Amino acid sequence: MILQPKNMLNRLLKSLLVSFVCIIVLSIIINLTAIKLPILTEASYERYLILFLYLIVMIFYVSLLFDQLYLSQKAKGISLFFYLFIMTGSLQLLESLVAQINVPPKAIVDLIVYTLVITCFTVLIFRYYGKGAECYTKRIKNYFSHQHISKWLLKCIYAIFLLFIAHYLINSMLTPFIEPYYNGRYANILKMSHHAEDVKYVSMLTHALVMVVGFQPLFALWKGSKTSLLFWFGFPLFIILAFQPFIFNVHWPLGFRFPLFIEETLIMYIHAIILVHLFYVPDEKHKEEELVKSKLSMSNW
């Protein structure tokens, strides 16, 4: 999708509006309830400003991604909630367990509220009136009908194995850079348990499983090219899972945050490449393009 300057400005203004309303609603919730969002543990003006700017960027790209899926308003709302919750809830929690970062037990409840607020106002402001929308279940069925179920299951197992290996190798390379902080004066935010390695491996495996299962609908609904899917799948992952922890956790030392940022960026983009390569299925418009690429690739060998 190519954005015209006018459309881009309109989307940016809508993103700004959604972000502003979300900030107001979240601040009211925080002041009236016991909910304390992890990203606003210190509810200062600086934190609210950072959250506001971050939400503008995140909502701009995620709303644009979902506009390209041609979903009805109801399907868009449900899908957007689960998409954001998988990103901000499941995957961020699992990454915290891999890095042995302390996470409050009620963090999931807080994140549900956070995700629900953003989803409601994003769907309300970025209304989609159903032009070109197709039945959600029909598109899912068509996607899975391209191959026998046994082949899809083998692909899933293969993908989980590759994601786990990539996660393990990158983590192993960068752990020496952050390990000194586990026994330093930042031990209050880091937790090394007796079963740290077991927790890390289980979290990596679960992370791979969530990535494979959770993002199948995105591949099933995508109607663009393989290259565009790689961007629209990988870039939001980078914003939410790598960039957000880096800018919000200013109380973490830079020597800990920066290697963790590099680690998350590498993991997210390598995971995106693996999943797009394995699970992308071109629609009628892009089948010929993929066939030509395949022939060119074979001729180079």
Side-chain angles (χ1 to χ4, degrees), residues 117 182 202:
V117 169
Y182 290 112
V202 171

Side-chain angles (χ1 to χ4, degrees), residues 184-216:
R185 60 192 181 93
Y186 299 98
N188 61 317
I189 61 169
L190 304 169
K191 182 180 180 181
M192 289 293 286
S193 67
H194 296 296
H195 304 288
E197 291 302 308
D198 294 337
V199 171
K200 181 184 290 189
Y201 298 146
V202 171
S203 299
M204 286 180 183
L205 189 60
T206 309
H207 187 286
L209 181 63
V210 170
M211 289 282 286
V212 170
V213 176
F215 291 111
Q216 285 294 318

Side-chain angles (χ1 to χ4, degrees), residues 200-269:
K200 181 184 290 189
Y201 298 146
V202 171
S203 299
M204 286 180 183
L205 189 60
T206 309
H207 187 286
L209 181 63
V210 170
M211 289 282 286
V212 170
V213 176
F215 291 111
Q216 285 294 318
L218 176 61
F219 300 122
L221 297 170
W222 189 254
K223 287 191 171 185
S225 66
K226 191 174 187 178
T227 305
S228 62
L229 174 58
L230 182 59
F231 172 79
W232 287 110
F233 180 41
F235 192 66
L237 280 173
F238 164 74
I239 293 175
I240 298 175
L241 294 175
F243 188 62
Q244 178 184 306
F246 181 79
I247 62 171
F248 278 111
N249 297 297
V250 291
H251 58 293
W252 293 357
L254 186 60
F256 176 76
R257 277 190 298 150
F258 186 69
L260 202 61
F261 171 74
I262 297 298
E263 178 181 334
E264 293 302 319
T265 301
L266 288 173
I267 289 169
M268 289 307 109
Y269 273 106

Side-chain angles (χ1 to χ4, degrees), residues 35-50:
I35 291 174
K36 299 295 180 186
L37 298 174
I39 55 176
L40 288 175
T41 48
E42 299 172 10
S44 62
Y45 290 115
E46 291 81 4
R47 281 296 181 95
Y48 279 113
L49 179 60
I50 292 172

